[in-house]
């Protein structure tokens, strides 16, 4: 094709690119002349979408979300206030700025508009300069808001990653002298989270426990290597030293007032207590043992049983659950045992997930 023949195609492509780069404005009004006027004002600068009712507007937004909505207040059927409330109640549309179009100038109308989530009003009769100025202003504010949220999300993710790395390092400190791995810590943490969720914990607290659980043995850093790695049965004196890792872990972790480390300190101190009061370090019984410690203690035993060691074969999940059930009312909280048994399928999924990761790491 000749160079002369290519020019119209290039010009067309440029026009299409310019068009698709334009922000989308949805006009919602049941009066055709208002729609025509707004289209004349906006079409040169924006992609314009049109809806003549609230129901149609919601359908358009669901399939092709605009960057801003100009919304008439008084319409047959669904009012503008109702449409705005619907948009603000859904996460995917809550951030779309809404400017109300209204002929009413009373204070109550404005109060209701801002209450349901509008960012501004344009009063009829419509002024071209006012309309362009307010649409441009709120589109810029919306874009700035999106950029700020993206920056905050990225920084939050960085902090989350740093926190998880810190938790991993603290958890590994407690296992410097044994063969437990990061896989063990996070698998046990997932078991703890699953049980906490089954026990009715709020999701925010579930996630906090998932991060706290790997630190439950932090205090082992204070136990001599000769005791941790002793090939012989520990003497009573050595056993007392071993038991002190619970208090040592608590003393280390409780130095922070952050909820995560307070929860981790609680789990570190109480994860060897038993429901019947025969555990350590304080011989607490039943509800006197914090539920976090009861949960982590059960998850830790379950994971230890199902994990292969140099000195033992792994138990099957069925064998480990049978042991947990047998220990109900003695070692473990009977209600937590019931809940743990009820989430067997989730426990299997967690084990399989971490097994695959272990296989990947070994490659």
């Amino acid at each position: 094709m000749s160079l002369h023949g290519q020019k119209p195609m290039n010009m067309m492509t440029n026009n299409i690119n310019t068009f698709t780069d334009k922000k989308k404005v949805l006009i919602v009004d049941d009066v055709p002349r208002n729609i025509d006027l707004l289209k004349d004002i906006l079409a040169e600068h924006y992609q314009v979408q049109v809806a003549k009712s609230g129901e149609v507007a919601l359908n358009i937004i669901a399939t092709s979300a605009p960057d801003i909505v100009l919304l008439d207040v008084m319409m047959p059927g669904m009012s503008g206030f109702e449409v705005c409330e619907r948009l603000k109640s859904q996460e995917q549309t809550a951030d779309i700025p809404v400017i109300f179009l209204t002929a009413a100038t009373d204070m109550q109308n404005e109060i209701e508009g801002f209450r349901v989530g509008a960012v501004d009003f344009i009063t009829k009769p419509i002024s071209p300069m006012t309309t362009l100025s307010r649409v441009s202003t709120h589109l810029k504010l919306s874009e700035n808001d999106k950029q700020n949220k993206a920056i905050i999300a990225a920084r939050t993710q960085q902090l989350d990653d740093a926190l998880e790395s810190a938790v991993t390092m603290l958890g590994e400190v407690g296992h410097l002298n044994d063969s437990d791995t990061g896989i063990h810590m996070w698998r046990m943490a997932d078991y703890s989270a699953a049980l906490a969720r089954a026990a009715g914990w709020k999701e925010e607290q579930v996630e906090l426990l998932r991060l706290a659980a790997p630190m439950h043995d932090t205090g082992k850093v204070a136990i001599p290597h000769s005791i941790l790695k002793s090939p012989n049965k520990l003497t009573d004196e050595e056993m007392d030293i071993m038991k002190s890792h619970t208090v040592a872990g608590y003393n280390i972790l409780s130095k922070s007032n952050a909820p995560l480390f307070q929860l981790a300190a609680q789990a570190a101190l109480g994860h060897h207590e038993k429901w019947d009061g025969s555990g350590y370090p304080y011989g607490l019984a039943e509800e006197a043992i914090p539920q976090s410690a009861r949960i982590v203690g059960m998850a830790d035993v379950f994971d230890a049983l199902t994990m292969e060691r140099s000195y033992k074969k792994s138990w099957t999940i069925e064998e480990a659950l049978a042991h947990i059930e047998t220990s109900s009312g003695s070692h473990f909280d009977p209600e937590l045992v019931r809940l743990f048994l009820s989430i067997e399928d989730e426990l299997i999924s967690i084990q399989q997930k971490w097994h695959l990761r272990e296989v990947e790491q070994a490659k």
Side-chain angles (χ1 to χ4, degrees), residues 71 73-74 79-86 88 98 100 102 104-121:
L71 180 58
V73 172
M74 302 301 295
S79 73
F81 292 146
E82 291 175 280
V83 174
C84 189
E85 277 191 305
R86 288 273 291 275
K88 299 304 171 182
V98 175
F100 278 125
T102 180
T105 57
D106 60 286
M107 183 67 71
Q108 193 57 44
N109 206 51
E110 288 191 10
I111 291 172
E112 179 63 10
F114 288 124
R115 184 192 71 79
V116 298
V119 295
D120 209 340
F121 279 80

Side-chain angles (χ1 to χ4, degrees), residues 81-300:
F81 292 146
E82 291 175 280
V83 174
C84 189
E85 277 191 305
R86 288 273 291 275
L87 294 179
K88 299 304 171 182
S89 68
Q90 299 175 28
E91 184 179 354
Q92 61 270 34
T93 56
D95 291 335
I96 300 174
V98 175
I99 299 176
F100 278 125
L101 307 168
T102 180
T105 57
D106 60 286
M107 183 67 71
Q108 193 57 44
N109 206 51
E110 288 191 10
I111 291 172
E112 179 63 10
F114 288 124
R115 184 192 71 79
V116 298
V119 295
D120 209 340
F121 279 80
I122 294 176
T123 305
K124 298 175 182 178
I126 293 164
S127 160
M129 290 299 295
T130 298
T131 300
L132 285 171
S133 176
R134 292 189 181 174
V135 168
S136 174
T137 295
H138 288 292
L139 282 171
K140 288 175 183 175
L141 289 172
S142 177
E143 189 62 33
N144 288 340
D145 185 52
K146 287 177 185 176
Q147 290 174 359
N148 289 336
K149 285 182 177 179
I151 291 170
I152 291 170
R155 289 178 179 172
T156 300
Q157 186 60 53
Q158 288 174 350
L159 289 173
D160 287 346
D161 291 345
L163 179 59
E164 192 156 313
S165 295
V167 168
T168 298
M169 287 184 281
L170 269 175
E172 289 184 354
V173 162
H175 296 292
L176 285 175
N177 291 316
D178 61 34
S179 58
D180 285 349
T181 64
I183 292 288
H184 155 69
M185 291 189 301
W186 290 112
R187 183 175 56 224
M188 185 275 295
D190 277 354
Y191 292 146
S192 298
L195 181 53
R197 190 177 294 109
W201 286 35
K202 293 181 179 178
E203 199 57 37
E204 181 180 338
Q205 290 301 113
V206 168
E207 177 59 18
L208 211 59
L209 186 64
R210 190 187 75 82
L211 289 172
M215 295 183 277
H216 71 285
D217 271 341
T218 298
K220 282 186 176 179
V221 71
I223 307 303
H225 179 271
S226 60
I227 293 177
L228 282 174
K229 301 291 284 185
S230 175
N232 305 313
K233 183 178 179 180
L234 299 180
T235 65
D236 289 345
E237 183 181 353
E238 287 173 331
M239 194 62 203
D240 286 340
I241 294 172
M242 173 65 85
K243 290 178 179 180
S244 72
H245 82 274
T246 54
V247 177
Y250 175 82
N251 289 337
I252 292 168
L253 297 165
S254 63
K255 285 182 168 58
S256 170
N257 291 323
L260 169 62
F261 291 103
Q262 287 294 308
L263 188 63
Q266 192 180 71
L269 185 63
H271 71 282
H272 281 294
E273 299 285 7
K274 295 183 179 180
W275 186 254
D276 63 6
S278 64
Y280 64 86
Y282 299 127
L284 302 179
E286 300 186 2
E287 300 290 339
I289 309 167
Q291 192 179 52
S292 60
R294 284 179 267 149
I295 289 172
V296 170
M298 188 184 299
D300 192 36

